[in-house]
């Protein structure tokens, strides 16, 4: 047994080096010391005390033997019941090891996650004055305790005590008072004394950053001068050292002493291993830890169905941004088994809802360090929240912060603060996710790190108008999927009625041809009753296309026809298009009868094409020749002959693409000549290229020029021979037949990649104004399955570094001779989300009405800052690449892309529908272990024209975009890389693509992208 110096030497005896202080004037058997108090010592010279002191010294002074290092052992955490969310009596016990000089100073007890002590179970708390006087009311009692101590290095004492709820101390959720009451002691059957009572306080706090488990902390555990032994028969008091060797705390299930009192202790609500931890600290600063683990049971018996949920936008009008409020209510009335607590709450907002880009512009991120330090910048606040609990009646309130960069999934944190420095953090995610149908995603909010804190009501308000209502009206339903700590999952729905949709317009056709017309290209005018509407037109049941009034059809054949048009107000169409029936009956004797024969119908082949046009009934002025969709003539197969050179008849064989023959009627009779066909520049600014026909006739050289251009959004090519000559070198003539045999050499002609029925069409006009009825020659490509299709896709990112913003360039390469590309889908790596600040406000993008289902992209109302990149198409049909501008379109949940290609003779519009498909299509959010199906950004371009393409470059790499003053420029990088440590941040992230061919093949490509800093 070791010796300890327990005091300073007074005037008196000092036996064996053990110094005993004599203290007066306490003689009462009920004497006690209060925490923080001290008694005043003064000298005593009674010889009997010296005799006693020497006797004690003789017993306690012995050579110090080997002893174990400071530690704790035998730590137990015992429950009277393991019922999840039940109310057990719980006992915590441990033994101290080590020498007597290594006394306990501090004890920290971390209760298992989900175990809570309700300080409000004490209907009346003990005041500090009552505690110091040991007169706490019985209703404040919540447990008992027992400690085994070594007193004066001699006596083994077991001291019982009680645990009461006392008035909360600063910085504590609640405070407990621990009162130890030693029994009377007698020494050598001669001297008897009543030790003082021992009073300790311990705080209950919430371990804010570690799942909010409760923690008790008892600083300054008793050491010296805490057991004063008053002697019954003499006035001096002997004061000696004690050493705690064992401590046991027993917490009651209920407060007070009544069997109907409120419950004090609550079991964890999850049937998973629960661990209680203990840390003991000695006066020498040594630390020792211990833990005890058990598993609650009976989760299936935990009530779970009474939770209610509501989601309320403060603005409930069409496509409007709005603040929103979430409310979750959970029963907390005392019950034998308390109601289940939510572990994960996933709020799936209505279909078509989105994130308001303008509200997120300027939002910054609060780091974890700043969050813990409560020093988040004001710019990271996007809302506020409150939580109510009977455990903390005053409630908890605090801000909602963005804790990661604004992207596809924005990390958020709710920092709730309450009385006495209580603090709790809820963490979650705000973002957008996709549906199976393209372009029908939605916004969502998910809290997947909810602490197991008993609360009755949780309210979260996104005060920034982050939420955007869907672009439709009627009932809008939000679904909350709630995974509970008990292992049960419930679903709650909440609906609101969205109003204020734009009025559907009424469309009126104001002018058109007579019911029977001789005009093969009739013109229509039309209007809407709502100013600013756009229009969609359809001829003879074909696909609706963007159009404007007046609208003139292409040349039509004799017979019945139909024209339809509907107006679109914003995104709301006229549900009943205006319709106009008419019959074309070109009664003129002027006719053009074609015979058209390709050398092969093999899809994708380069055929020779023999054409014969027999003309009668008039002097031809023009001849129009339309190729089937996907049947292409290259404007770069050979060297283009300049237009001026062609008119002079001086083109060379380098521009030759075929041969020709012309038959005419003259005064001298029918005459025939032969000649060549040359590829030329476009004869007018409206032509992409041209063809010159040069024929040597007996009376001179016949030269006619044709312009080549694209129609039907690039689907068809036209060859338009204009201004046939009628006289050469004084010889007048009338054309009766024109033959043109085009060569497929050098890839001048290419059959479609699609094997669908179509036709060559021809018509023309006479000098007297007569229009020849449209004549069709059927055509259908064959054997599409024989076409190869082997595209390669490479995505390049300017900054594949965690926590940065990035541009992206997608390159698609396709070998010559492969099938044409029909649809292109590019899926960004899951590590990339949208960089919302770069999108700007709604006014910084093309209006949503610029594109839609079945509606071609209309860039007419796009502001300059909506241009974010370019798309380049390399095709053997053109001498230079086709370059188009890429625009952002204001759609939810993410902006779409519109592409405008405008070059002479070429006008093509493409729409890129942005979607958020799941990374794993088989993932089921309801059954996924993580309760979440990760999405990725997808951009799909449908119905690319059937033309041979060797390279596509889709580049979202524009620089900063200027906006009207005083607005700051917008960033150019549209993608945000996940923050380091985020679950989506992976060292290797797959970029994928899906490319569909016109021949029916689909190719999937994957490129693993290295991400730095994850």
């Amino acid at each position: 047994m070791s010796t300890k110096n327990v005091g300073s030497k007074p005037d008196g005896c000092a036996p064996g080096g053990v110094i005993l202080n004599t203290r007066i004037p306490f003689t009462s058997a009920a004497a006690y010391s209060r925490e923080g108090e001290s008694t005043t010592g003064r000298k005593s010279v009674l010889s009997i005390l010296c005799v006693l002191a020497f006797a004690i010294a003789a017993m306690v002074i012995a050579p110090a033997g080997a002893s174990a290092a400071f530690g704790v052992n035998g730590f137990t955490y015992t429950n009277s019941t393991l019922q999840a969310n039940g109310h057990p009596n719980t006992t915590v016990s441990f033994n101290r090891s080590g020498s007597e000089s290594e006394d306990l100073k501090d004890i920290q007890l971390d209760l298992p996650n989900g175990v809570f002590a309700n300080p409000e179970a004490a209907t009346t708390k003990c005041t500090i004055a009552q505690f110091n006087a040991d007169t706490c009311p019985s209703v404040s009692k919540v447990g008992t305790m027992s400690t085994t101590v070594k007193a004066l290095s001699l006596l083994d004492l077991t001291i019982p005590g009680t645990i009461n709820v006392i008035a909360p101390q600063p910085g504590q959720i609640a405070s407990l008072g621990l009162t130890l009451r030693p029994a009377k002691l007698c020494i050598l059957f001669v001297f008897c004394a009543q030790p003082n009572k021992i009073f300790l306080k311990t705080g209950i706090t919430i371990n804010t950053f570690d799942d909010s488990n409760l923690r008790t902390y008892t600083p300054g555990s008793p050491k010296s001068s805490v057991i004063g032994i008053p002697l019954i028969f003499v006035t001096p008091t002997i004061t000696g050292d004690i050493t705690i060797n064992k401590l046991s705390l027993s917490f009651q299930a209920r407060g007070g002493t009544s069997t109907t009192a409120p419950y004090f202790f609550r079991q964890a609500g999850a049937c998973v291993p629960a661990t209680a931890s203990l840390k003991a600290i000695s006066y020498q600063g040594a630390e020792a830890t211990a833990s005890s683990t058990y598993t609650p049971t009976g989760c299936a018996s935990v009530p779970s169905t009474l939770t209610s949920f509501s989601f309320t936008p403060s603005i409930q009008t069409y496509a409007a941004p709005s603040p929103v409020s979430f409310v979750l209510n959970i029963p907390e009335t005392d019950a034998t088994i308390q109601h289940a607590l939510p572990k994960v709450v996933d709020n799936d907002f209505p279909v078509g809802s989105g994130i308001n880009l303008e509200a997120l512009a300027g939002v910054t991120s609060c780091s974890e360090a700043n969050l813990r330090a409560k020093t988040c910048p004001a710019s990271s606040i996007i809302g506020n929240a409150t939580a109510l609990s009977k455990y903390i009646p005053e409630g908890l309130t605090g801000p909602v912060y963005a804790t990661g960069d604004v992207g596809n999934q924005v990390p958020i944190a709710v920092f709730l603060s309450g009385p006495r420095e209580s603090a709790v953090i809820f963490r979650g995610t705000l973002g957008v996710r996709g549906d199976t149908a393209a372009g029908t995603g939605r916004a969502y909010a998910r809290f997947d790190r909810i602490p197991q804190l008993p609360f009755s009501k949780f309210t979260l308000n996104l005060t920034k108008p982050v939420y955007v209502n869907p672009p439709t009206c009627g009932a809008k339903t939000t679904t909350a999927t709630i995974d509970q700590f008990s292992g049960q999952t419930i679903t709650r729905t909440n609906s609101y009625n969205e109003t204020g949709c734009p009025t559907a317009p009424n469309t009126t056709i104001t002018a058109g041809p007579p019911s029977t017309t001789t005009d093969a290209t009739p013109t229509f005018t039309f209007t809407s009753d709502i100013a600013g509407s756009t229009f969609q037109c359809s001829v003879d049941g074909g696909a609706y296309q963007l159009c404007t009034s007046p609208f003139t059809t292409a040349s039509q054949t004799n017979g019945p026809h139909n024209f339809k048009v509907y107006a679109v107000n914003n995104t709301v169409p006229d549900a009943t298009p205006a319709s106009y029936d008419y019959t074309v009956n070109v009664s003129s004797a002027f006719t053009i009868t074609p015979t058209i024969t390709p050398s092969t119908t093999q899809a994708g082949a380069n055929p020779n094409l023999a054409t014969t046009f027999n003309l009668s009934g008039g002097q031809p002025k023009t001849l129009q020749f339309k190729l089937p969709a996907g049947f292409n003539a290259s404007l770069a197969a050979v060297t283009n002959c300049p237009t001026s050179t062609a008119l002079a008849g001086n083109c060379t064989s380098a521009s030759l693409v075929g041969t020709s023959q012309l038959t005419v009627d003259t005064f001298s009779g029918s005459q025939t000549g032969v000649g060549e066909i040359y590829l030329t520049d476009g004869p007018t600014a409206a032509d992409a290229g041209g063809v010159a026909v040069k024929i040597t006739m007996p009376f001179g050289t016949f030269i006619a020029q044709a312009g080549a251009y694209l129609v039907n959004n690039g689907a068809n090519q036209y060859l338009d021979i204009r201004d046939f000559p009628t006289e050469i070198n004084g010889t007048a003539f009338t054309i009766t037949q024109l033959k043109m045999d085009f060569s497929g050499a050098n890839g001048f002609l290419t059959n479609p990649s699609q094997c669908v029925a179509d036709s060559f069409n021809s018509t023309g006009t006479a000098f007297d104004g007569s229009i020849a009825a449209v004549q069709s020659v059927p055509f259908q490509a064959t054997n599409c399955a024989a076409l190869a299709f082997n595209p390669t896709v490479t995505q390049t990112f300017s900054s594949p570094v965690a926590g940065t913003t990035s541009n992206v360039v997608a390159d698609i390469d396709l070998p010559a001779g492969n099938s044409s590309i029909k649809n292109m889908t590019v899926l960004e790596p899951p590590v990339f989300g949208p960089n919302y600040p770069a999108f700007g406000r709604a006014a910084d993008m093309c209006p949503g009405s610029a594109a839609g289902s079945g509606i071609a992209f209309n860039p007419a109302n796009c502001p300059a800052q909506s241009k974010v990149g370019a798309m380049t198409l390399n095709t053997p049909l053109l001498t230079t690449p086709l370059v188009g501008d890429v625009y952002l379109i204001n759609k939810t949940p993410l902006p779409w892309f519109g592409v405008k290609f405008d070059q002479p003779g070429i006008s093509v519009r493409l729409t890129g529908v942005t979607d958020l498909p799941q990374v794993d299509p088989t993932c089921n959010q309801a059954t996924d272990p993580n309760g979440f199906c990760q999405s990725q950004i997808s951009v799909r371009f449908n119905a690319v024209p059937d033309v041979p393409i060797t390279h596509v470059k889709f580049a979202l790499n524009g620089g900063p975009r200027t906006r009207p003053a005083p607005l700051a420029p917008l960033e150019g990088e549209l993608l945000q890389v996940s923050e380091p440590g985020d679950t989506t941040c992976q060292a290797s992230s797959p970029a994928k693509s899906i490319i569909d061919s016109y021949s029916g093949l689909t190719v999937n490509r994957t490129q693993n992208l290295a991400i730095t800093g994850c």
Side-chain angles (χ1 to χ4, degrees), residues 833-857:
N835 179 23
Y836 280 114
F839 300 154
R841 309 165 305 156
D844 294 315
M845 295 177 282
C846 305
S849 58
S853 177
I855 301 176
F857 170 56

Side-chain angles (χ1 to χ4, degrees), residues 69-157:
F70 176 77
V72 292
N73 54 64
F75 176 61
T76 60
Y77 183 94
T78 307
N79 298 281
S80 63
T81 175
L82 293 178
Q83 171 61 54
N85 272 7
H87 300 285
N89 297 312
T90 300
T91 299
V92 179
S93 177
F94 71 93
N95 299 315
R96 182 201 67 89
S97 62
S99 67
E100 289 188 32
S101 62
E102 297 172 307
D103 285 347
L104 284 175
K105 181 176 184 290
D106 298 321
I107 302 166
Q108 177 179 299
L109 173 64
D110 286 355
L111 299 179
N113 289 338
V115 173
F116 278 86
N118 178 16
E120 304 308 311
T123 54
T124 301
K125 295 182 176 66
C126 182
T127 67
I128 295 298
Q130 290 171 327
F131 175 63
N132 286 337
D134 195 18
T135 58
C136 288
S138 61
V139 293
S140 68
K141 179 174 174 286
V142 292
T144 60
M145 64 181 299
S146 174
T147 183
T148 301
V149 304
K150 176 76 73 172
L152 302 173
S153 300
L154 170 66
L155 305 174
D156 289 315
L157 306 178

